[in-house]
Amino acid sequence: MIVWLNGTFGAGKTTTAKELVPLIPDARFFDPEQVGGMLTTVSDLPKLGDFQHWPPWRGLVVEAASQLLDYVGGVLVMPQTVLVETYWQEISAGLRNAGIPVHHFVLHADQGTLTRRIEGDAEMGISQWRLDHLSAYRDAFSWLSREGEVIDTTEIPPSQVAKTIAASLGRAGLVSKIDP
């Protein structure tokens, strides 16, 4: 099983994922961004502005997740912004075809909160690239909210967001025991 945490930059995906892993038995953190980082080392790939635009990224994310689950089993918690609906459809169909259930959560916060979080990110510093993607997130929110369970993170710390997601999975009978 995969728990995919989507949403824009500053929504709390990575921090929530790290809080969520200990709450779900046999869960592991897997960052699909690392697949993109691997591809950036390949010479002469077209300059497309975002590794997600490279078709191999989408296929490799599916293949890597499938291989990992075949090897270690359990649950992969995967935080990754995907704002292009056709890319999400490609990834989710690939995982479904591999027999892997995906539970898609969209972490959401209001524009002001997202901007403050991005501008105040001590680890990454102010990132204009991340700020520039807030409008793409607004444009994608209608399809994202159809495809995933939306959790508003505006006033909720990542630890509580993780507990909310774990409780949702537990209520749906997707995990047998949620650790406190």
Side-chain angles (χ1 to χ4, degrees):
M1 175 172 81
I2 290 174
V3 177
W4 193 292
L5 304 183
N6 204 342
T8 194
F9 307 101
K13 297 177 305 299
T14 301
T15 306
T16 297
K18 290 177 181 176
E19 294 277 347
L20 182 59
V21 166
L23 300 178
I24 300 174
D26 299 319
R28 291 164 182 81
F29 179 91
F30 174 56
D31 188 349
E33 183 132 352
Q34 299 304 314
V35 175
M38 176 188 70
L39 288 173
T40 63
T41 67
V42 177
S43 60
D44 299 326
L45 285 178
K47 304 289 185 227
L48 300 177
D50 187 333
F51 58 73
Q52 289 187 13
H53 299 317
W54 292 325
W57 177 78
R58 301 184 298 276
L60 286 169
V61 165
V62 170
E63 186 61 27
S66 179
Q67 290 286 326
L68 283 168
L69 286 171
D70 283 348
Y71 184 60
V72 297
V75 177
L76 293 180
V77 177
M78 298 173 60
Q80 180 68 50
T81 300
V82 178
L83 300 180
V84 178
E85 186 174 10
T86 56
Y87 296 176
W88 174 251
Q89 294 299 330
E90 184 179 337
I91 292 166
S92 60
L95 293 167
R96 189 172 45 255
N97 291 340
I100 302 168
V102 178
H103 303 283
H104 186 202
F105 293 88
V106 178
L107 305 191
H108 176 76
D110 64 64
Q111 185 82 12
T113 299
L114 293 169
T115 301
R116 278 191 305 282
R117 288 177 182 171
I118 292 169
E119 290 176 345
D121 189 328
E123 188 175 317
M124 292 192 71
I126 296 175
S127 168
Q128 191 60 47
W129 192 86
R130 292 169 76 203
L131 289 168
D132 290 345
H133 280 76
L134 293 179
S135 62
Y137 172 69
R138 276 194 313 275
D139 295 344
F141 187 72
S142 63
W143 76 260
L144 284 168
S145 61
R146 284 191 316 270
E147 291 287 326
E149 182 178 335
V150 177
I151 299 175
D152 190 331
T153 68
T154 302
E155 300 291 332
I156 304 171
S159 60
Q160 186 58 47
V161 175
K163 289 176 185 172
T164 300
I165 292 168
S168 176
L169 295 168
R171 282 191 303 277
L174 301 170
V175 291
S176 58
K177 176 187 173 286
I178 301 296
D179 294 336

